[in-house]
Amino acid sequence: MRQTIVVLSLASAGLWSQGCYEPVVGDDYVLGLKEQLGGIVRNESQRHKVLFSKGTGDGFMLTFPEAENAVTTAVNILRSVRAANEKLPEARSIHLRMGVHLGQINIDSQGDRIGTAANFAARIEAAKLDQLKGAEDLANVQL
């Protein structure tokens, strides 16, 4: 089944101290950000015909029937997060990483979405910006 997949997660910028894994703002605050992001993701993805949604720990995986649905949802999530961040100091704002990819989605026996499209979306989501700058063909970028 050909679908567009969106993978997004909370980025660590502003939430973790430099060089260590101790949260600067605390686990409860990060959980609150995740719940706030979850509300935004649910609202936007339902408006644009999400086919599948699941939490991924610090983020979400979503699939859509058409690329336009996925990209519109992604843009609206970013706009909603930006609006929410206007009320917060930088160190406590929501920072996101996001990857979008169109391709074959396979459904495993537990109903999860797997396959190359899911892997590419996750790799794009995890990539550093300098890895993607100037790339004409993202499928051939070494991530």
Side-chain angles (χ1 to χ4, degrees):
M1 170 184 331
R2 193 169 172 84
Q3 297 177 9
T4 302
I5 188 162
V6 176
V7 176
L8 63 102
S9 67
L10 289 169
S12 59
L15 301 177
W16 302 91
S17 58
Q18 284 289 55
C20 72
Y21 296 99
E22 292 299 317
V24 172
V25 294
D27 287 341
D28 290 340
Y29 188 79
V30 174
L31 177 61
L33 286 181
K34 169 77 178 353
E35 289 174 355
Q36 183 180 3
L37 177 60
I40 292 169
V41 168
R42 273 187 299 284
N43 290 339
E44 292 301 331
S45 63
Q46 289 171 355
R47 289 179 47 215
H48 299 285
K49 302 179 183 174
V50 66
L51 297 173
F52 173 79
S53 175
K54 80 168 195 172
T56 59
D58 65 350
F60 300 90
M61 176 190 291
L62 313 163
T63 63
F64 295 87
E66 302 291 334
E68 182 178 353
N69 301 87
V71 172
T72 300
T73 299
V75 168
N76 288 342
I77 289 169
L78 291 172
R79 286 181 177 148
S80 295
V81 166
R82 183 176 15 175
N85 282 344
E86 289 176 359
K87 303 169 193 152
L88 298 171
E90 176 65 21
R92 292 186 168 259
S93 61
I94 298 173
H95 297 267
L96 293 180
R97 296 184 308 254
M98 191 175 295
V100 179
H101 191 72
L102 171 67
Q104 177 72 28
I105 300 293
N106 298 307
I107 303 172
D108 71 13
S109 62
Q110 264 62 60
D112 202 359
R113 276 41 179 183
I114 59 172
T116 303
N119 292 341
F120 272 127
R123 288 179 183 176
I124 292 167
E125 178 266 336
K128 304 264 189 282
L129 186 57
D130 60 344
Q131 290 176 285
L132 302 176
K133 282 184 181 174
E136 292 180 25
D137 179 8
L138 287 179
N140 291 317
V141 171
Q142 295 297 315
L143 301 176

